[in-house]
Short mmCIF file of all heavy atoms in Angstrom, two decimals:
data_model
loop_
_atom_site.label_atom_id
_atom_site.label_comp_id
_atom_site.label_asym_id
_atom_site.label_seq_id
_atom_site.Cartn_x
_atom_site.Cartn_y
_atom_site.Cartn_z
N GLU A 70 -93.30 48.45 2.15
CA GLU A 70 -94.50 47.77 2.74
C GLU A 70 -94.33 46.25 2.64
O GLU A 70 -93.76 45.73 1.68
CB GLU A 70 -95.75 48.23 2.03
CG GLU A 70 -96.19 49.62 2.31
CD GLU A 70 -96.53 49.88 3.72
OE1 GLU A 70 -97.07 48.88 4.37
OE2 GLU A 70 -96.31 50.91 4.29
N GLU A 86 -77.23 40.95 8.60
CA GLU A 86 -77.24 40.94 10.05
C GLU A 86 -76.31 39.85 10.55
O GLU A 86 -75.85 39.03 9.79
CB GLU A 86 -78.68 40.68 10.53
CG GLU A 86 -79.71 41.75 10.15
CD GLU A 86 -81.07 41.42 10.61
OE1 GLU A 86 -81.24 40.26 11.21
OE2 GLU A 86 -81.99 42.21 10.43
N TYR A 123 -89.56 44.62 10.79
CA TYR A 123 -90.51 45.85 10.65
C TYR A 123 -90.75 46.51 11.98
O TYR A 123 -91.59 47.47 11.98
CB TYR A 123 -91.84 45.38 10.01
CG TYR A 123 -91.72 45.24 8.56
CD1 TYR A 123 -91.39 44.03 7.96
CD2 TYR A 123 -91.96 46.33 7.71
CE1 TYR A 123 -91.27 43.87 6.61
CE2 TYR A 123 -91.91 46.20 6.29
CZ TYR A 123 -91.57 44.99 5.80
OH TYR A 123 -91.46 44.85 4.42
N PHE A 217 -37.14 15.28 -20.21
CA PHE A 217 -36.47 14.10 -19.68
C PHE A 217 -37.17 12.87 -20.27
O PHE A 217 -38.03 12.23 -19.63
CB PHE A 217 -36.57 14.11 -18.11
CG PHE A 217 -36.06 15.44 -17.49
CD1 PHE A 217 -36.90 16.44 -17.17
CD2 PHE A 217 -34.73 15.57 -17.27
CE1 PHE A 217 -36.44 17.62 -16.63
CE2 PHE A 217 -34.23 16.70 -16.71
CZ PHE A 217 -35.09 17.75 -16.36
N ASP A 219 -36.26 9.88 -20.84
CA ASP A 219 -36.04 8.56 -20.23
C ASP A 219 -36.56 8.45 -18.81
O ASP A 219 -36.28 7.45 -18.13
CB ASP A 219 -34.53 8.27 -20.23
CG ASP A 219 -33.73 9.24 -19.39
OD1 ASP A 219 -34.23 10.37 -19.16
OD2 ASP A 219 -32.62 8.92 -18.92
N VAL A 224 -38.50 5.57 -13.70
CA VAL A 224 -39.48 5.70 -12.62
C VAL A 224 -40.76 4.99 -13.07
O VAL A 224 -41.29 5.26 -14.14
CB VAL A 224 -39.79 7.18 -12.32
CG1 VAL A 224 -40.88 7.35 -11.33
CG2 VAL A 224 -38.48 7.84 -11.84
N ASN A 259 -38.63 8.87 -6.07
CA ASN A 259 -38.45 8.95 -7.56
C ASN A 259 -37.29 9.86 -7.87
O ASN A 259 -36.50 9.56 -8.78
CB ASN A 259 -39.76 9.48 -8.20
CG ASN A 259 -40.88 8.47 -8.20
OD1 ASN A 259 -40.67 7.29 -7.84
ND2 ASN A 259 -42.04 8.94 -8.39
N ALA A 274 -34.07 16.56 -2.53
CA ALA A 274 -35.06 15.54 -2.20
C ALA A 274 -34.87 15.00 -0.82
O ALA A 274 -35.81 14.70 -0.09
CB ALA A 274 -35.03 14.43 -3.23
N LEU A 439 -20.00 -17.67 2.08
CA LEU A 439 -19.93 -18.23 3.43
C LEU A 439 -18.83 -19.26 3.49
O LEU A 439 -18.59 -20.02 2.52
CB LEU A 439 -21.27 -18.93 3.74
CG LEU A 439 -22.48 -17.99 3.78
CD1 LEU A 439 -23.77 -18.82 4.05
CD2 LEU A 439 -22.34 -16.95 4.91
N GLU A 441 -17.12 -22.82 5.08
CA GLU A 441 -17.75 -24.16 5.33
C GLU A 441 -18.32 -24.24 6.72
O GLU A 441 -19.32 -24.85 6.95
CB GLU A 441 -16.65 -25.18 5.11
CG GLU A 441 -17.22 -26.63 5.20
CD GLU A 441 -16.10 -27.74 4.89
OE1 GLU A 441 -15.03 -27.29 4.50
OE2 GLU A 441 -16.44 -28.88 5.08
N ALA A 514 -43.06 -61.78 0.42
CA ALA A 514 -44.53 -61.61 0.45
C ALA A 514 -44.97 -60.82 -0.77
O ALA A 514 -44.16 -60.00 -1.32
CB ALA A 514 -44.98 -60.91 1.70
N GLU A 570 -81.26 -63.81 10.34
CA GLU A 570 -81.58 -63.97 8.93
C GLU A 570 -83.00 -63.34 8.68
O GLU A 570 -83.94 -63.67 9.39
CB GLU A 570 -81.65 -65.43 8.55
CG GLU A 570 -81.71 -65.69 7.06
CD GLU A 570 -81.43 -67.12 6.73
OE1 GLU A 570 -80.88 -67.87 7.60
OE2 GLU A 570 -81.70 -67.52 5.57
N PHE A 577 -78.56 -56.81 10.48
CA PHE A 577 -78.37 -56.30 11.80
C PHE A 577 -79.68 -56.02 12.51
O PHE A 577 -80.51 -55.34 11.93
CB PHE A 577 -77.58 -55.00 11.70
CG PHE A 577 -77.53 -54.16 12.91
CD1 PHE A 577 -76.87 -54.58 14.06
CD2 PHE A 577 -78.13 -52.93 12.97
CE1 PHE A 577 -76.88 -53.83 15.22
CE2 PHE A 577 -78.19 -52.16 14.11
CZ PHE A 577 -77.50 -52.64 15.23
N SER A 611 -67.39 -61.21 -0.19
CA SER A 611 -68.82 -61.15 -0.32
C SER A 611 -69.54 -62.24 0.43
O SER A 611 -69.12 -63.41 0.35
CB SER A 611 -69.18 -61.14 -1.78
OG SER A 611 -70.57 -61.14 -1.95
N SER A 648 -76.74 -55.56 -4.91
CA SER A 648 -75.77 -54.73 -4.22
C SER A 648 -74.44 -54.78 -4.88
O SER A 648 -74.25 -55.55 -5.85
CB SER A 648 -75.67 -55.22 -2.76
OG SER A 648 -75.15 -56.56 -2.68
N GLU A 693 -72.75 -21.88 -54.62
CA GLU A 693 -73.90 -21.34 -55.36
C GLU A 693 -73.62 -19.95 -55.74
O GLU A 693 -74.03 -19.47 -56.81
CB GLU A 693 -75.14 -21.47 -54.48
CG GLU A 693 -75.61 -22.93 -54.37
CD GLU A 693 -76.79 -23.00 -53.37
OE1 GLU A 693 -77.21 -21.96 -52.91
OE2 GLU A 693 -77.31 -24.09 -53.17
N ASP A 704 -73.65 -14.84 -69.44
CA ASP A 704 -74.72 -14.12 -70.11
C ASP A 704 -74.23 -12.83 -70.76
O ASP A 704 -74.52 -12.44 -71.87
CB ASP A 704 -75.89 -13.90 -69.17
CG ASP A 704 -76.55 -15.19 -68.79
OD1 ASP A 704 -76.30 -16.16 -69.45
OD2 ASP A 704 -77.30 -15.13 -67.70
N ALA A 708 -74.01 -12.00 -74.64
CA ALA A 708 -74.82 -10.89 -75.24
C ALA A 708 -73.99 -9.96 -76.00
O ALA A 708 -74.37 -9.30 -77.01
CB ALA A 708 -75.50 -10.19 -74.07
#
Side-chain angles (χ1 to χ4, degrees):
E70 288 294 328
E86 300 178 356
Y123 279 91
F217 305 96
D219 62 336
V224 175
N259 290 346
L439 298 176
E441 185 177 355
E570 191 167 346
F577 165 67
S611 175
S648 64
E693 289 176 0
D704 294 341

